[in-house]
Amino acid sequence: MTSTSIIPDPATPITIAAAPSRITIAAAPSRVADRIAARAGHPDATVRERVALRTAAADITYAELWERAQKAGVELAALDVGAGDVVGVRLPSGPGAVAAMLACWHVGAAFLPMDASAPDAHRDHLLHRSRARAVIDGDGPRALTGAAPSATGGPRDEGAYVIYTSGSTGTPKGVLVGQDAFAEHTTAIAGLLGLRDTDTVLQFAGLGFDVAQEEIWPTLAVGGTVAFLDSKDRALSPAELADRVRELRVSVLQLPTSYWRLLCAQMQGAEGSGCSFEGVHTVVIGGEAAGTNDVHVHRNGPLGHSTLINGYGPTETVVTCTAFVLPAHEPLPPTAGLPIGGPVGNRRLHVLDADRRPVPVGSPGELWVGGSPLAEGYLGEPLRTEERFHPDPFGSVPGARMYRTGDLVLRHPDGALEFLGRLDNQVKVRGYRIELDEVDRHLTDTRGVTAAAAVALDDGSGTGGRILAAALSVIADGPTAEQIREELRGRLPSHLVPGLIHVRDTLPLTASGKIDRRAVAALLADAYASSTPDADATAAVAESGAVAESGADVGVVDTDTAEVSADLALLLKLIRTLLRAPDFGPDDDFLAHGGDSLVALRVSGTLREHGLRLRPSDLLTATDARAAAARIVRL
C-alpha cells in the first residue's frame, strides 16, 4: 500500500496510509449524470446498449435508463421542480428508483431517498423537514404543498442528495451532499474498488442508507452494471445469496459488517461447501467495527479468495472516507481491531486532541476529516452545521473545511487508523448510526411514558452484534413493553425501535438528578442475560427433539400433523432464546417482539443444521410463528 503525507501542523508532519495506488482523481471530474448521459448517447451502439441495470427478470441498457430518466424529468419539470429543490423518492430498490433519482438531477434537484417500507408518518416527517417540492412514489411524480423553492440553494455547491441521519437533539438531521463533492467521491470509489465496465455491483443497502448511493453511481459512472435483488429478498441465507450472486453475475459485494460477519460464520465447514462466490473479486464491509478474528473466518469460507475492504465514513464525509484494503493473500495486521486504513481520494485525516492539536503516533485522538469531498452541511440548519463543520487550519486551499466525526481513533506507525469508539452519545447498531437521545425522545413522546434511556448492548451471539435496548418508566396502569414497541413501529423505521424494552417504576439517577445511563446499561444487560429461557441457542436446539415429540412448551398448538407441531416447537424455542422473549407464543409476531433480518438469518441457519429449511424472508413476512412454521421444509 502506498502512503501520502499530509501536514496538519507544519512542525509535525504526519503520514497517513492512502488508499491503493490504483485510485486516480480527475482534476475536475464531470458530474455523474454527465458520465451516464455520455454513455447513453454514445455514437457506438455497443456502448449505448451495455447493461446498466439488471434484475432477475430483465436487463436495462444505458440508453433505456436515460430515456426513462428524461421522461420522469419532464414530469418533474411540469410540476415546477427545478434547481435547488428537493424531491422525495419513495420507491423500492430497483431500476425505477435509479431512473427517478437520475430524473431529479436532470432538472437540477437533489433527491431524498426514503425506505419504501418505513411508516407513512416517518416519510411525511422527512418530506416536511426537507421542504420537498415533490415526491416520486409508486404513483409517479406528484407535487407537495408548503415547499419553498431552492431549498438546497447555497453558495458552495448544487445539491446531489439529502440523507437523514439520527440527531442528538431528538430530531433527524438532513445531510446535504453537493454535486461536485459526490462526483469527486464517485471517481475515488471507482478507483478504490478497481471498477471497470465489465463489473457488476450488487445493490444491497436500503435506499435510505447512504451506502446505496455508493453502490449505484460509481458503477454507472464507469459503465458497469448495477444488479438488484427481488423485493421479497429482505434477508438471504448464505446459499440464497450465493445463488443470487451467481444468477446476477455479481463481481463486487458491499455488505454491512454485521451481516457479513454472520454470513461468514454460517458458511464454515459443510454449510459453506455448497456456496460458491467464485465470480466475486471484492467484498466491501462497513457500518460497524470489525476484528482480525472476523477476517480469519472470512478467509476460511467461500469468500476467502476475494479482496476485503474495510470502509469507514459518516454520511457527512460523503459515505466512505477511509478504507483498509486487504488482498486475499496478504498477512493480517497485528491488531485486534481491523484498521479503517487511510484516506479515500482527496481527503485529509487529522487526529487531534481536545484542543485540536495533532496527537503523536500511537496516541488516541478524535478524527477530523478534511478535503474537498465533504457534505455541504445540514439542510436548513446553519447552527448545527457550524457545530460539526469547521474551517480547516491545516488546509492548503482557501475556504478548506473539516468535519468533526466524534470518533476516537489511533494512528499506527504505518499510518493506518484504527477505530476505538465514540466520544458522544451515538452508537452503531447493525450498520445504522443512531443517536440515543433521539430514541429517548421518541420513547418519551409515547403515551404513558414518563422517562426513558436507550443503550446499545452486545446481542450475545458471539459475532459482535449489538441490539438497541431501552429502560423506561410509565404512569400507573401505563402501556406494556409490547404496546410501546407496537406504537413505535407505526411511526419509526425499524432500526430506531428498541429490540428490548424494560419497564420499571423508576430509572437510576446520578447525584445531579439526571438519568444514569451507565447504570441503565448495567441493569438492561442483566435483564437481557437473565431473560433467555435457556443457556444458549445450542442448548435450546439440543433439547428440541423431546420437546417436539411431546408438543410441550408450545402452548395451544392447533396443527394438523405432529410434524408441523414439532417444527413449531423448535421454532418457538429458537425465537424465545434469540429474542430473550420467554413468553413468545405461536400467535405472536416475530417483528413486533424485536425480530429483524439478522435474527431471522440466525434462526434459519440453526434450523438448517437440523435438516429444516425456513427462508429468513418467510419468517419476516409471516403474520405469526404458527404461519412461519407452516413454511418450514424438511431437507
Side-chain angles (χ1 to χ4, degrees):
M1 184 179 294
T2 61
S3 64
T4 182
S5 294
I6 64 172
I7 311 297
D9 183 325
T12 313
I14 296 178
T15 301
I16 297 292
S21 57
R22 56 184 171 175
I23 294 180
T24 57
I25 304 299
S30 61
R31 292 184 174 179
V32 179
D34 297 334
R35 299 181 226 177
I36 298 172
R39 295 184 180 278
H42 199 280
D44 186 343
T46 59
V47 176
R48 298 194 303 271
E49 299 305 312
R50 287 193 64 85
V51 176
L53 311 175
R54 174 176 293 142
T55 69
D59 287 345
I60 296 172
T61 67
Y62 276 84
E64 290 169 334
L65 169 60
W66 190 253
E67 182 180 355
R68 292 187 185 191
Q70 282 189 308
K71 180 179 180 296
V74 169
E75 294 175 337
L76 285 174
L79 299 176
D80 199 27
V81 176
D85 289 333
V86 174
V87 177
V89 176
R90 195 192 191 199
L91 291 168
S93 175
V98 175
M101 293 185 288
L102 193 54
C104 297
W105 289 348
H106 186 73
V107 297
F111 59 79
L112 165 60
M114 295 181 287
D115 182 358
S117 64
D120 289 344
H122 180 69
R123 173 209 62 190
D124 293 342
H125 180 67
L126 296 188
L127 291 174
H128 174 74
R129 285 190 61 83
S130 66
R131 303 168 78 185
R133 177 162 288 277
V135 64
I136 305 176
D137 54 22
D139 297 324
R142 57 186 173 86
L144 297 174
T145 59
S150 300
T152 69
R156 299 186 60 87
D157 197 355
E158 293 178 25
Y161 62 83
V162 179
I163 295 283
Y164 272 87
T165 67
S166 187
S168 60
T169 63
T171 56
K173 51 186 185 288
V175 180
L176 172 62
V177 173
Q179 285 280 4
D180 291 342
F182 188 58
E184 186 176 343
H185 177 68
T186 295
T187 301
I189 285 297
L192 173 69
L193 304 185
L195 290 180
R196 294 174 174 82
D197 58 9
T198 54
D199 277 311
T200 297
V201 177
L202 183 65
Q203 206 283 283
F204 188 88
L207 283 184
F209 201 27
D210 62 351
V211 173
Q213 309 311 319
E214 195 170 86
E215 294 167 332
I216 296 169
W217 304 112
T219 309
L220 296 179
V222 301
T225 301
V226 181
F228 299 92
L229 299 170
D230 292 336
S231 58
K232 65 178 182 295
D233 291 330
R234 296 174 59 186
L236 292 171
S237 68
E240 290 168 338
L241 180 63
D243 288 344
R244 301 296 188 280
V245 164
R246 182 180 63 256
E247 292 163 2
L248 295 170
R249 287 167 277 175
V250 171
S251 56
V252 177
L253 280 174
Q254 191 154 350
L255 303 174
T257 300
S258 51
Y259 179 81
W260 163 79
R261 182 184 286 122
L262 186 55
L263 190 77
C264 291
Q266 291 191 352
M267 291 193 298
Q268 299 299 296
E271 284 297 308
S273 61
C275 300
S276 174
F277 292 89
E278 61 181 357
V280 175
H281 62 71
T282 301
V283 175
V284 187
I285 60 172
E288 292 178 3
T292 50
N293 286 338
D294 297 323
V295 181
H296 283 295
V297 179
H298 165 86
R299 287 182 167 179
N300 287 330
L303 283 169
H305 65 280
S306 61
T307 293
L308 183 66
I309 299 179
N310 186 33
Y312 159 89
T315 302
E316 291 87 344
T317 64
V318 193
V319 209
T320 302
C321 67
T322 80
F324 182 78
V325 182
L326 189 64
H329 302 295
E330 280 198 7
L332 271 63
T335 57
L338 191 63
I340 58 173
V344 173
N346 187 29
R347 291 182 172 90
R348 299 167 59 88
L349 308 180
H350 311 306
V351 184
L352 309 179
D353 63 18
D355 296 319
R356 301 183 196 173
R357 295 175 302 189
V359 301
V361 171
S363 297
E366 183 176 2
L367 176 60
W368 293 66
V369 179
S372 46
L374 286 182
E376 293 299 291
Y378 301 116
L379 183 60
E381 299 189 76
L383 294 181
R384 266 188 175 181
T385 300
E386 290 177 7
E387 289 175 358
R388 305 299 291 195
F389 293 85
H390 295 251
D392 186 350
F394 316 116
S396 58
V397 297
R401 299 179 304 148
M402 60 181 184
Y403 170 73
R404 183 176 193 173
T405 68
D407 286 327
L408 189 67
V409 300
L410 181 145
R411 188 176 57 257
H412 292 286
D414 65 357
L417 299 179
E418 183 176 357
F419 175 83
L420 301 179
R422 288 293 299 177
L423 293 170
D424 55 19
N425 213 20
Q426 187 185 106
V427 297
K428 277 287 187 79
V429 177
R430 289 168 182 169
Y432 288 96
R433 185 174 108 185
I434 297 172
E435 295 278 2
L436 295 176
D437 294 321
E438 181 177 2
V439 180
D440 293 350
R441 184 186 67 80
H442 288 304
L443 287 166
T444 54
D445 283 349
T446 304
R447 177 192 56 83
V449 176
T450 57
V455 301
L457 300 176
D458 187 304
D459 69 2
S461 66
T463 62
R466 306 179 87 190
I467 69 160
L468 186 64
L472 46 86
S473 58
V474 300
I475 61 175
D477 299 322
T480 64
E482 289 75 14
Q483 290 170 330
I484 293 167
R485 184 182 293 109
E486 188 64 26
E487 180 175 336
L488 292 177
R489 288 182 65 224
R491 55 187 169 90
L492 295 176
S494 59
H495 66 272
L496 289 178
V497 180
L500 171 66
I501 295 179
H502 187 55
V503 177
R504 296 171 50 89
D505 293 334
T506 59
L507 297 184
L509 304 177
T510 65
S512 61
K514 297 180 180 180
I515 294 176
D516 188 337
R517 203 179 291 268
R518 288 189 178 182
V520 167
L523 68 89
L524 283 172
D526 289 343
Y528 187 61
S530 63
S531 63
T532 177
D534 299 287
D536 52 36
T538 302
V541 173
E543 297 174 4
S544 63
V547 172
E549 291 179 6
S550 66
D553 207 20
V554 178
V556 180
V557 181
D558 182 17
T559 54
D560 296 330
T561 66
E563 188 174 271
V564 174
S565 177
D567 293 347
L568 179 56
L570 176 55
L571 181 62
L572 288 175
K573 271 283 191 180
L574 289 172
I575 293 176
R576 289 170 181 170
T577 300
L578 295 175
L579 293 184
R580 304 298 205 270
D583 297 325
F584 187 90
D587 301 312
D588 288 335
D589 187 324
F590 174 71
L591 293 175
H593 283 74
D596 61 19
S597 59
L598 289 182
V599 177
L601 188 59
R602 291 173 63 192
V603 170
S604 175
T606 306
L607 288 174
R608 181 173 288 275
E609 292 174 5
H610 290 77
L612 303 173
R613 184 172 75 85
L614 176 67
R615 287 167 46 93
S617 56
D618 287 337
L619 180 56
L620 292 168
T621 57
T623 54
D624 52 43
R626 194 190 308 277
R631 302 177 183 181
I632 292 176
V633 176
R634 293 185 175 271
L635 300 175

